Structures are given as C-alpha cells and as structure tokens.
Amino acid sequence: MPNDNMIQPTAAYNHARIAILLPCYNEGKAISHVIASFRSIVPSAQIVVIDNASNDDTAEKAMAADAIVIREDLPGKGNAVRRGFSEVEADIYVMADGDGTYDARALPQLINKLVEDRLDMVVGTRAEKEQAAYRSGHRIGNRLFNTVFAKLFGTRFTDIFSGYRVFSRRFVKTFPAISTGFEIETEISVHAIMLRAPVAEIPTSYGARHEGTESKLRTYRDGIRILSKILLFTATHKPFVFYGLIAASLAVLSVLLSIPLILEFLETGAVYRLPTAVLTVGIMISAILSFVTGAILSNIGIGQWEVKRLSYLMHTDRLDAIRAALTVLREK
C-alpha cells in the first residue's frame, strides 16, 4: 500500500524521462480521470494512451486530457503494450490500465524503489480494497495460475497478472513482447526470471473499475489462453523440464504396460500379446526421444539466453541524476 508519510519527491523526477503507458480498449468513461490522477502525482511524466482499436471516444477523451495517443489496430493488450514499448522513448516506463483500478498515489513508491535499488522492474501487486475489484472466477484463476507459475518458474512473483509495473529502459528495450493478449504480463514475468533481472514487488491498492466500464477479460476463454501460454513458455524457456516430464510420463506408462508381459514371459517363457509388446517398446522409444529433445533444446536455449543477456547488458540506465536528487531530498 502507498505510505502517506512517504516523501513524494516529484521534483527529482524532472531529471529523468518518465513515460506512463496506458493500453486501452473502450475506456472512454474512465480515461480522463486516470490521466488526471497520474498527472497530479507525476506532472513531468509523458502520458501515452495506446488506443487498442476502441470503438468509443477513448482517443478523443485522451487527447482532450493532453495525453499522447497511439492507435494500435491489432486487437489484444499484448499488441498494445508492444506498440508502446517500441515507439516510446524514456528512462523509466510505467505500465497501468486505463480503467481506474490501479492507485496512482502508489507510483512514487514504485519509481523510488526502481531507482534507488537499481532494479529493472517493480510490480505493484494487487491488494483489493473493494469486493467488486475481482470477480470470483478471476480470484480463483489468479491463485491457480500463480501457483502453477511458481512451480514451473520459481517464486519470485506473487502476482504475475498485475498490470501495474515500472520498468527500466534496458528491460523494455530488450523485451521481445511476443504475446498478443492478456498473457503479456505472464511473458514479462518469465522474461525477468530467465534474464535474472533484479526485480521487486510492492503491495498497492486495487479497486473496482470506474463506473460505466466493464472488464475485457473473459474468465474461461482467456484462462485457457493464459494456461496454454504458460505451457508454451515452459516448452520454450525450460525445454528440459517440459520434455523431461513428458519423457518420465511415457517411461512410467511403458513400464506399467510391460509388467504383465514380463510376468507372462517368466511364467511361460513366451510373449503372446505381441501388439502390447510393440506398443510398450514404441512408448519407451518416444520417452527416450522426448528426453533427448529436451536436452538438445536446453543447450540451444542457453546460447539464446546468453545473446539476450549480452543485449541487456549493452543498455545502461541514465538515472544517476535522479538518484542524486532523491538523496538530497532525503538529507534535508
């Protein structure tokens, strides 16, 4: 939660280019309020609304509120975020939603954490302050997917679906952004883990959507899509784990099928169920092939992540001035 006693060193932010990216689809009833909220907290920030093919007055309301508007006609939040990351130049990037659910007052705390601790990402984890903030299906799905993600990729994050994040420039400019929809936050989390980037989480208030707006997330459709993406990310970034589990499952199945055959052979000296024997051998060969595939792809993946890491290291932040300004403010 934002600390009301925390220093709000907005003057220090004048030493860095800060961009607040708001991907939006039909958020005309909320976007003016959201823009005003963030501008009151960080007046020097550049506020960019990525209009994701809205068919309401989102773009007009955003321009009237003096925000920069970028039109992205490919549907899906991932496409909007990718467009924003590729076109906007800044030292610090803030990502939030245009529906008013995220607390703008927490932004200084997120930025200060990023700058002072030299991090690449700070996630504003969602602590709901209103029962209406989450539908029950979303709440259950969040817990389930966070648990699955932690088992596969580790426990560095407790809220992989939070859309309230602050990034360094080098993180944004080395993030491939392959996802097209709501799974973009999961891809961001996987990228941070695989890159071993320094990250942190800070609890922030999460409220109900602005009156008159509705959630674009569909519980079952997007849940299935996100789960398939988590599995795809596992196969891509942890192939030895993914194909190793397949290999182990096939090997166990092959052994279970072979037990009656072995007992039959020991008893009679012959194998009468030849089709089952052939099937057992085929399954075991598939298990071996899956294991070898995982080992090969794992070695290839190491080389790919070395290249990504080197690209990441080539980008340096330019935040020494804002760090110095924050230090001066705290010494006063």
Side-chain angles (χ1 to χ4, degrees), residues 40-197:
S40 67
I41 300 298
V42 188
S44 62
Q46 179 185 55
I47 300 180
V48 181
V49 172
I50 303 97
D51 180 22
N52 193 206
S54 298
N55 50 37
D56 68 351
D57 58 352
T58 296
E60 291 77 9
K61 290 284 186 66
M63 287 187 286
D66 292 328
I68 297 171
V69 176
I70 299 174
R71 174 83 175 183
E72 175 52 62
D73 290 327
L74 290 175
K77 184 177 181 180
N79 288 320
V81 171
R82 178 170 57 253
R83 185 69 177 272
F85 281 1
S86 63
E87 290 203 15
V88 177
E89 296 295 327
D91 300 316
I92 297 173
Y93 293 79
V94 179
M95 184 177 79
D97 291 342
D99 57 10
T101 52
Y102 292 112
D103 188 0
R105 295 173 301 169
L107 185 54
Q109 187 179 11
L110 299 177
I111 294 177
N112 294 352
K113 184 71 172 177
L114 181 92
V115 173
E116 293 183 333
D117 291 358
R118 298 179 179 270
L119 304 177
D120 282 314
M121 179 172 68
V122 178
V123 182
T125 58
R126 296 169 293 178
E128 56 184 301
K129 62 181 180 181
E130 299 180 38
Q131 187 66 24
Y134 278 128
R135 296 206 299 262
S136 59
H138 292 179
R139 189 181 293 107
I140 295 170
N142 281 336
R143 293 192 186 122
L144 173 63
F145 288 129
N146 276 291
T147 300
V148 171
F149 186 90
K151 295 295 184 183
L152 292 173
F153 293 97
T155 57
R156 294 188 70 187
F157 297 106
T158 60
D159 186 3
I160 61 172
F161 297 130
S162 173
Y164 198 11
R165 300 175 185 237
V166 178
F167 307 96
S168 68
R169 175 181 173 81
R170 66 180 178 181
F171 186 94
V172 166
K173 294 306 180 182
T174 57
F175 175 59
I178 304 300
S179 300
T180 60
F182 286 106
E183 66 274 15
I184 185 67
E185 287 94 355
T186 306
E187 184 185 358
I188 290 172
S189 300
V190 171
H191 184 72
I193 288 173
M194 299 306 296
L195 205 59
R196 297 193 178 106

